[in-house]
């Protein structure tokens, strides 16, 4: 059975949304009140962000929080 790595999925989505918005890690981290190194770890799938951090990131990226958890077609 294939396990889904949600930390990687969330990290990849955050990175893509951040880049699409033209934001650096530093700027997004400042908007969210977190360290840039922590954001880097989230984006790489190394950190497991709390629900509060996920909602804060989603708000800063102007998306609904559930959008960070959604699988792309064919990702299973």
């Amino acid at each position: 059975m294939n396990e889904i790595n949600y930390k990687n999925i969330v990290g990849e989505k955050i990175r893509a949304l951040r880049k699409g918005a033209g934001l650096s890690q530093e700027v997004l981290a400042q908007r969210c009140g977190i360290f840039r190194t922590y954001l880097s770890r989230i984006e790489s799938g190394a950190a497991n962000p709390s629900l509060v951090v996920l909602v804060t990131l989603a708000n800063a990226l102007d998306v609904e929080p559930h959008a960070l958890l959604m699988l792309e077609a064919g990702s299973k």
Side-chain angles (χ1 to χ4, degrees):
M1 178 161 89
N2 292 338
E3 287 193 30
I4 299 170
N5 188 330
Y6 283 100
K7 290 192 298 185
N8 284 344
I9 291 167
V10 168
E12 290 169 5
K13 293 246 182 171
I14 291 170
R15 178 181 290 123
L17 289 166
R18 175 182 61 77
K19 287 184 174 186
L23 301 173
S24 67
Q25 284 184 338
E26 187 69 32
V27 169
L28 181 57
Q30 286 175 351
R31 287 184 182 181
C32 294
I34 61 176
F35 291 107
R36 187 211 50 84
T37 53
Y38 180 45
L39 176 57
S40 176
R41 291 179 56 236
I42 292 170
E43 287 187 358
S44 69
N48 190 12
S50 70
L51 180 59
V52 171
V53 170
L54 286 177
V55 170
T56 302
L57 284 163
N59 288 338
L61 293 165
D62 200 28
V63 297
E64 293 293 323
H66 73 272
L68 299 179
L69 299 172
M70 295 182 64
L71 297 173
E72 300 297 324
S75 293
K76 285 189 177 183

Coordinates of all heavy atoms in Angstrom, one line a residue:
M1 N 0.8 -1.2 0.0 CA 0.0 0.0 0.0 C 0.9 1.2 0.0 O 1.8 1.3 0.8 CB -0.9 0.0 1.2 CG -1.8 1.2 1.3 SD -3.2 1.0 2.4 CE -2.5 1.5 4.0
N2 N 0.6 2.2 -0.9 CA 1.3 3.4 -0.9 C 0.8 4.4 0.1 O -0.3 4.7 0.2 CB 1.2 4.1 -2.3 CG 1.9 3.3 -3.4 OD1 2.7 2.5 -3.1 ND2 1.4 3.5 -4.6
E3 N 1.8 4.9 0.9 CA 1.4 5.9 1.9 C 1.6 7.3 1.3 O 2.5 7.6 0.5 CB 2.3 5.8 3.1 CG 2.0 4.6 4.0 CD 2.6 4.7 5.3 OE1 2.8 5.8 5.8 OE2 2.9 3.6 5.9
I4 N 0.6 8.2 1.6 CA 0.7 9.5 1.1 C 1.5 10.4 2.1 O 1.2 10.4 3.3 CB -0.8 10.1 1.0 CG1 -1.5 9.2 0.0 CG2 -0.7 11.5 0.5 CD1 -3.0 9.6 -0.1
N5 N 2.5 11.1 1.6 CA 3.3 11.9 2.5 C 2.7 13.4 2.4 O 3.0 14.2 1.6 CB 4.7 11.9 2.0 CG 5.6 12.6 3.0 OD1 5.2 13.6 3.7 ND2 6.9 12.2 3.1
Y6 N 1.8 13.6 3.4 CA 1.1 14.9 3.4 C 2.1 16.1 3.7 O 1.9 17.2 3.2 CB 0.0 14.9 4.4 CG -1.2 14.2 3.9 CD1 -1.5 12.9 4.3 CD2 -2.1 14.8 3.0 CE1 -2.6 12.2 3.7 CE2 -3.2 14.1 2.4 CZ -3.4 12.8 2.8 OH -4.5 12.2 2.3
K7 N 3.2 15.8 4.4 CA 4.1 16.9 4.7 C 4.7 17.4 3.4 O 4.9 18.6 3.2 CB 5.2 16.5 5.7 CG 4.7 16.3 7.1 CD 5.8 16.1 8.1 CE 6.6 14.9 7.9 NZ 7.6 14.7 8.9
N8 N 5.0 16.5 2.5 CA 5.6 16.8 1.2 C 4.6 17.5 0.3 O 4.9 18.5 -0.4 CB 6.2 15.6 0.5 CG 7.5 15.2 1.0 OD1 8.2 15.9 1.7 ND2 7.9 14.0 0.7
I9 N 3.3 17.0 0.3 CA 2.3 17.6 -0.5 C 2.0 19.1 0.0 O 2.0 20.0 -0.8 CB 1.0 16.8 -0.4 CG1 1.2 15.5 -1.1 CG2 -0.2 17.6 -0.9 CD1 0.1 14.4 -0.8
V10 N 1.9 19.3 1.3 CA 1.7 20.6 1.8 C 2.8 21.5 1.5 O 2.6 22.6 1.1 CB 1.4 20.5 3.4 CG1 1.4 21.9 4.0 CG2 0.1 19.9 3.7
G11 N 4.0 21.0 1.7 CA 5.2 21.8 1.4 C 5.3 22.3 0.0 O 5.6 23.4 -0.3
E12 N 5.0 21.3 -0.9 CA 5.1 21.6 -2.3 C 4.0 22.6 -2.7 O 4.3 23.6 -3.5 CB 4.9 20.4 -3.2 CG 6.1 19.4 -3.1 CD 5.9 18.1 -3.7 OE1 4.8 17.8 -4.3 OE2 6.8 17.2 -3.6
K13 N 2.8 22.5 -2.1 CA 1.7 23.5 -2.4 C 2.1 24.9 -2.0 O 1.9 25.8 -2.7 CB 0.4 23.0 -1.8 CG -0.1 21.8 -2.3 CD -1.4 22.1 -3.0 CE -1.9 20.7 -3.5 NZ -3.3 20.8 -4.0
I14 N 2.6 24.9 -0.7 CA 3.0 26.2 -0.2 C 4.1 26.9 -1.0 O 4.0 28.1 -1.4 CB 3.4 26.1 1.3 CG1 2.2 25.7 2.2 CG2 4.1 27.4 1.8 CD1 2.6 25.3 3.6
R15 N 5.1 26.1 -1.4 CA 6.2 26.7 -2.2 C 5.6 27.2 -3.6 O 6.0 28.3 -4.0 CB 7.2 25.6 -2.5 CG 8.4 26.1 -3.4 CD 9.4 25.1 -3.7 NE 10.2 24.8 -2.5 CZ 10.3 23.6 -1.9 NH1 9.8 22.6 -2.5 NH2 11.1 23.5 -0.8
A16 N 4.8 26.4 -4.2 CA 4.2 26.8 -5.5 C 3.4 28.1 -5.4 O 3.5 29.0 -6.2 CB 3.4 25.7 -6.1
L17 N 2.5 28.1 -4.3 CA 1.7 29.3 -4.1 C 2.5 30.5 -3.8 O 2.3 31.6 -4.3 CB 0.7 29.0 -3.0 CG -0.4 28.1 -3.4 CD1 -1.2 27.6 -2.1 CD2 -1.4 28.7 -4.3
R18 N 3.6 30.3 -3.0 CA 4.5 31.4 -2.6 C 5.2 32.0 -3.9 O 5.2 33.2 -4.1 CB 5.5 31.0 -1.6 CG 6.5 32.0 -1.3 CD 7.6 31.5 -0.3 NE 8.3 30.4 -0.7 CZ 9.3 30.4 -1.6 NH1 9.7 31.6 -2.2 NH2 10.0 29.3 -1.9
K19 N 5.7 31.1 -4.7 CA 6.4 31.5 -5.9 C 5.4 32.2 -6.9 O 5.8 33.2 -7.5 CB 7.2 30.4 -6.5 CG 8.4 30.0 -5.7 CD 9.2 28.9 -6.4 CE 10.5 28.6 -5.7 NZ 11.3 27.6 -6.4
G20 N 4.2 31.6 -7.0 CA 3.2 32.2 -7.9 C 2.8 33.6 -7.5 O 2.4 34.4 -8.3
A21 N 2.9 33.8 -6.2 CA 2.6 35.2 -5.7 C 3.8 36.1 -5.7 O 3.6 37.3 -5.3 CB 2.0 35.1 -4.2
G22 N 4.9 35.6 -6.1 CA 6.1 36.4 -6.2 C 6.7 36.8 -4.9 O 7.3 37.8 -4.7
L23 N 6.5 35.9 -3.9 CA 7.0 36.2 -2.5 C 8.3 35.4 -2.2 O 8.4 34.2 -2.7 CB 6.0 35.8 -1.5 CG 4.6 36.5 -1.6 CD1 3.6 35.9 -0.6 CD2 4.8 38.0 -1.3
S24 N 9.2 36.0 -1.5 CA 10.3 35.2 -1.0 C 9.9 34.5 0.2 O 8.9 34.8 0.9 CB 11.5 36.2 -0.7 OG 11.2 37.0 0.4
Q25 N 10.7 33.5 0.6 CA 10.5 32.8 1.9 C 10.5 33.8 3.1 O 9.7 33.8 4.0 CB 11.5 31.7 2.2 CG 11.3 30.5 1.4 CD 12.3 29.4 1.7 OE1 13.3 29.6 2.3 NE2 11.9 28.2 1.4
E26 N 11.4 34.8 3.0 CA 11.6 35.8 4.1 C 10.3 36.6 4.2 O 9.8 36.8 5.3 CB 12.7 36.7 3.8 CG 13.1 37.6 4.9 CD 13.6 37.0 6.1 OE1 14.3 36.0 6.0 OE2 13.4 37.5 7.2
V27 N 9.7 37.0 3.1 CA 8.5 37.9 3.2 C 7.3 37.1 3.7 O 6.6 37.5 4.6 CB 8.2 38.5 1.8 CG1 6.8 39.1 1.7 CG2 9.3 39.5 1.4
L28 N 7.1 35.9 3.2 CA 6.0 35.1 3.6 C 6.2 34.7 5.1 O 5.2 34.8 5.9 CB 5.9 33.8 2.8 CG 4.7 32.9 3.2 CD1 3.4 33.6 3.1 CD2 4.7 31.6 2.3
A29 N 7.4 34.4 5.5 CA 7.6 34.0 6.9 C 7.3 35.2 7.8 O 6.6 35.1 8.8 CB 9.0 33.6 7.1
Q30 N 7.7 36.4 7.4 CA 7.4 37.6 8.2 C 5.9 37.9 8.3 O 5.4 38.2 9.3 CB 8.1 38.9 7.6 CG 9.6 38.9 7.8 CD 10.3 40.0 7.1 OE1 9.6 40.7 6.3 NE2 11.5 40.3 7.4
R31 N 5.2 37.7 7.2 CA 3.7 37.9 7.2 C 3.0 36.9 8.1 O 2.0 37.2 8.6 CB 3.2 37.7 5.8 CG 3.5 38.8 4.8 CD 2.8 38.6 3.5 NE 3.2 39.7 2.6 CZ 2.7 39.8 1.3 NH1 1.9 38.8 0.8 NH2 3.1 40.7 0.6
C32 N 3.6 35.8 8.3 CA 3.0 34.7 9.1 C 3.5 34.7 10.6 O 3.0 33.9 11.4 CB 3.2 33.3 8.5 SG 2.4 33.2 6.9
G33 N 4.6 35.5 10.8 CA 5.1 35.5 12.2 C 5.9 34.2 12.5 O 5.9 33.8 13.7
I34 N 6.5 33.6 11.5 CA 7.4 32.4 11.7 C 8.8 32.7 11.2 O 9.0 33.7 10.4 CB 6.8 31.2 11.1 CG1 6.7 31.3 9.5 CG2 5.4 30.8 11.7 CD1 6.2 30.1 8.8
F35 N 9.7 31.9 11.6 CA 11.1 32.0 11.1 C 11.2 31.5 9.6 O 10.5 30.5 9.3 CB 12.1 31.2 11.9 CG 12.2 31.8 13.3 CD1 11.7 31.2 14.4 CD2 13.0 33.0 13.5 CE1 11.9 31.7 15.7 CE2 13.1 33.5 14.8 CZ 12.6 32.9 15.9
R36 N 12.0 32.1 8.8 CA 12.2 31.7 7.5 C 12.8 30.3 7.4 O 12.4 29.5 6.5 CB 13.2 32.6 6.7 CG 13.3 32.3 5.2 CD 14.7 32.6 4.6 NE 15.8 32.1 5.3 CZ 16.2 30.8 5.2 NH1 15.6 29.9 4.4 NH2 17.3 30.4 5.9
T37 N 13.6 29.9 8.4 CA 14.1 28.5 8.4 C 13.0 27.5 8.6 O 13.1 26.4 8.1 CB 15.2 28.4 9.4 OG1 14.8 28.9 10.7 CG2 16.5 29.2 9.0
Y38 N 12.0 27.9 9.4 CA 10.9 27.0 9.7 C 10.1 26.9 8.4 O 9.7 25.7 8.0 CB 10.1 27.5 10.8 CG 8.9 26.7 11.2 CD1 8.9 25.3 11.3 CD2 7.6 27.3 11.5 CE1 7.8 24.5 11.6 CE2 6.5 26.5 11.8 CZ 6.6 25.2 11.9 OH 5.5 24.4 12.2
L39 N 9.8 28.0 7.7 CA 9.1 27.9 6.4 C 9.9 27.0 5.5 O 9.2 26.2 4.7 CB 8.9 29.3 5.9 CG 8.2 29.4 4.5 CD1 6.8 28.7 4.5 CD2 8.1 30.8 4.0
S40 N 11.2 27.2 5.4 CA 12.0 26.3 4.5 C 11.8 24.8 4.8 O 11.6 24.0 3.9 CB 13.4 26.7 4.6 OG 14.2 25.9 3.8
R41 N 11.8 24.5 6.1 CA 11.6 23.1 6.5 C 10.2 22.6 6.2 O 10.0 21.5 5.8 CB 11.8 23.0 8.0 CG 13.3 23.2 8.3 CD 13.7 23.0 9.8 NE 13.2 21.7 10.3 CZ 12.4 21.6 11.4 NH1 11.9 22.6 12.0 NH2 12.0 20.4 11.7
I42 N 9.2 23.5 6.3 CA 7.8 23.1 5.9 C 7.8 22.9 4.4 O 7.2 21.8 4.0 CB 6.8 24.3 6.3 CG1 6.6 24.4 7.8 CG2 5.4 24.0 5.6 CD1 5.9 25.6 8.2
E43 N 8.3 23.7 3.6 CA 8.3 23.6 2.2 C 9.0 22.3 1.7 O 8.7 21.7 0.7 CB 8.9 24.8 1.5 CG 8.0 26.0 1.5 CD 8.5 27.2 0.7 OE1 9.6 27.1 0.1 OE2 7.8 28.2 0.7
S44 N 10.1 21.9 2.4 CA 10.8 20.7 2.0 C 10.2 19.5 2.6 O 10.7 18.4 2.3 CB 12.3 20.9 2.5 OG 12.3 20.8 3.9
G45 N 9.2 19.6 3.4 CA 8.5 18.4 4.0 C 9.2 17.9 5.2 O 8.9 16.8 5.7
A46 N 10.2 18.6 5.8 CA 10.9 18.2 6.9 C 10.2 18.6 8.2 O 10.4 17.9 9.3 CB 12.3 18.8 6.9
A47 N 9.3 19.6 8.2 CA 8.6 20.0 9.4 C 7.1 19.6 9.3 O 6.6 19.5 8.2 CB 8.7 21.5 9.6
N48 N 6.5 19.4 10.4 CA 5.1 19.1 10.5 C 4.4 20.3 11.1 O 4.2 20.4 12.3 CB 4.9 17.8 11.3 CG 3.5 17.3 11.3 OD1 2.7 17.7 10.4 ND2 3.2 16.4 12.2
P49 N 3.9 21.2 10.3 CA 3.3 22.5 10.9 C 2.0 22.2 11.6 O 1.2 21.3 11.2 CB 3.1 23.3 9.6 CG 3.0 22.4 8.5 CD 3.8 21.2 8.8
S50 N 1.7 23.0 12.6 CA 0.5 22.9 13.3 C -0.7 23.4 12.5 O -0.5 24.1 11.5 CB 0.6 23.7 14.6 OG 0.6 25.1 14.3
L51 N -1.9 23.2 12.9 CA -3.1 23.6 12.2 C -3.1 25.2 12.2 O -3.4 25.8 11.2 CB -4.3 23.1 12.9 CG -5.6 23.5 12.3 CD1 -5.8 23.1 10.9 CD2 -6.8 22.9 13.2
V52 N -2.7 25.8 13.3 CA -2.7 27.2 13.3 C -1.7 27.8 12.3 O -2.0 28.8 11.6 CB -2.3 27.7 14.8 CG1 -2.0 29.2 14.8 CG2 -3.4 27.4 15.8
V53 N -0.5 27.2 12.2 CA 0.4 27.7 11.2 C -0.1 27.4 9.8 O 0.1 28.3 8.9 CB 1.8 27.0 11.4 CG1 2.8 27.3 10.2 CG2 2.4 27.4 12.7
L54 N -0.7 26.3 9.5 CA -1.3 26.0 8.2 C -2.3 27.1 7.8 O -2.4 27.6 6.7 CB -1.9 24.6 8.1 CG -0.9 23.5 8.0 CD1 -1.6 22.2 8.0 CD2 0.0 23.6 6.8
V55 N -3.2 27.4 8.8 CA -4.2 28.4 8.5 C -3.6 29.8 8.3 O -4.0 30.5 7.4 CB -5.3 28.4 9.7 CG1 -6.2 29.6 9.5 CG2 -6.1 27.1 9.7
T56 N -2.6 30.1 9.0 CA -1.9 31.4 8.9 C -1.3 31.5 7.5 O -1.4 32.5 6.8 CB -0.9 31.6 10.0 OG1 -1.5 31.5 11.3 CG2 -0.2 32.9 9.9
L57 N -0.6 30.4 7.1 CA 0.0 30.4 5.8 C -1.0 30.5 4.7 O -0.9 31.2 3.7 CB 0.8 29.1 5.6 CG 2.2 29.0 6.3 CD1 2.7 27.6 6.4 CD2 3.2 29.9 5.6
A58 N -2.1 29.7 4.8 CA -3.2 29.8 3.8 C -3.7 31.2 3.7 O -3.9 31.7 2.6 CB -4.3 28.8 4.1
N59 N -4.0 31.9 4.8 CA -4.5 33.2 4.8 C -3.5 34.2 4.1 O -3.9 35.0 3.3 CB -4.8 33.7 6.2 CG -6.0 33.1 6.8 OD1 -6.9 32.6 6.1 ND2 -6.1 33.0 8.1
A60 N -2.2 34.0 4.4 CA -1.2 34.9 3.8 C -1.1 34.6 2.3 O -0.7 35.5 1.6 CB 0.1 34.7 4.5
L61 N -1.4 33.4 1.9 CA -1.3 33.1 0.5 C -2.6 33.3 -0.3 O -2.8 32.9 -1.4 CB -0.8 31.6 0.3 CG 0.6 31.4 0.7 CD1 0.9 29.9 0.9 CD2 1.6 32.1 -0.2
D62 N -3.6 33.7 0.5 CA -5.0 34.0 -0.1 C -5.6 32.8 -0.7 O -6.2 32.8 -1.8 CB -4.9 35.1 -1.1 CG -6.3 35.8 -1.4 OD1 -7.1 35.8 -0.4 OD2 -6.5 36.3 -2.5
V63 N -5.6 31.7 0.1 CA -6.3 30.4 -0.3 C -7.0 29.9 0.9 O -6.7 30.2 2.0 CB -5.3 29.3 -0.9 CG1 -4.7 29.8 -2.2 CG2 -4.3 28.9 0.1
E64 N -8.0 29.0 0.7 CA -8.6 28.3 1.8 C -7.7 27.3 2.4 O -6.9 26.7 1.6 CB -9.9 27.7 1.3 CG -11.0 28.6 0.8 CD -11.5 29.4 2.0 OE1 -11.7 28.9 3.1 OE2 -11.8 30.6 1.8
P65 N -7.7 27.1 3.7 CA -6.7 26.1 4.3 C -6.8 24.7 3.7 O -5.8 24.1 3.5 CB -7.1 26.1 5.7 CG -7.7 27.5 6.0 CD -8.4 27.8 4.7
H66 N -8.0 24.3 3.3 CA -8.1 22.9 2.8 C -7.4 22.8 1.4 O -7.0 21.7 1.1 CB -9.6 22.5 2.6 CG -10.3 23.2 1.5 ND1 -10.9 24.4 1.6 CD2 -10.4 22.8 0.2 CE1 -11.4 24.7 0.5 NE2 -11.2 23.8 -0.4
A67 N -7.1 23.9 0.7 CA -6.4 23.8 -0.5 C -5.0 23.3 -0.4 O -4.4 22.7 -1.3 CB -6.4 25.2 -1.2
L68 N -4.4 23.5 0.8 CA -3.0 23.0 1.1 C -3.0 21.5 1.3 O -1.9 21.0 1.1 CB -2.5 23.7 2.3 CG -2.4 25.3 2.3 CD1 -1.9 25.8 3.6 CD2 -1.6 25.7 1.1
L69 N -4.1 20.9 1.5 CA -4.1 19.4 1.8 C -4.6 18.6 0.6 O -4.5 17.4 0.6 CB -5.0 19.1 3.0 CG -4.5 19.8 4.3 CD1 -5.6 19.6 5.4 CD2 -3.2 19.2 4.7
M70 N -5.2 19.3 -0.4 CA -5.8 18.5 -1.5 C -4.8 17.9 -2.4 O -3.7 18.5 -2.7 CB -6.7 19.5 -2.3 CG -7.8 20.0 -1.5 SD -8.9 21.1 -2.5 CE -9.5 19.9 -3.7
L71 N -5.0 16.6 -2.8 CA -4.2 15.9 -3.7 C -4.5 16.3 -5.1 O -5.6 16.5 -5.5 CB -4.4 14.4 -3.5 CG -4.1 13.8 -2.2 CD1 -4.6 12.3 -2.2 CD2 -2.6 13.9 -1.9
E72 N -3.4 16.3 -5.9 CA -3.6 16.6 -7.3 C -4.0 15.2 -8.0 O -3.8 14.2 -7.4 CB -2.3 17.0 -8.0 CG -1.7 18.3 -7.4 CD -2.6 19.5 -7.7 OE1 -3.2 19.5 -8.7 OE2 -2.7 20.3 -6.8
A73 N -4.7 15.3 -9.1 CA -5.1 14.1 -9.8 C -3.9 13.2 -10.1 O -2.9 13.7 -10.6 CB -5.8 14.4 -11.1
G74 N -4.0 11.9 -9.8 CA -2.9 11.0 -10.0 C -1.8 11.0 -9.0 O -0.8 10.4 -9.1
S75 N -2.0 11.7 -7.8 CA -1.0 11.8 -6.8 C -1.1 10.6 -5.8 O -0.2 10.4 -5.0 CB -1.2 13.1 -5.9 OG -0.9 14.2 -6.7
K76 N -2.1 9.8 -5.9 CA -2.2 8.7 -4.9 C -1.2 7.6 -5.2 O -0.7 7.2 -6.1 CB -3.6 8.1 -4.9 CG -4.6 9.0 -4.2 CD -5.9 8.3 -4.1 CE -6.9 9.2 -3.3 NZ -8.1 8.7 -3.1

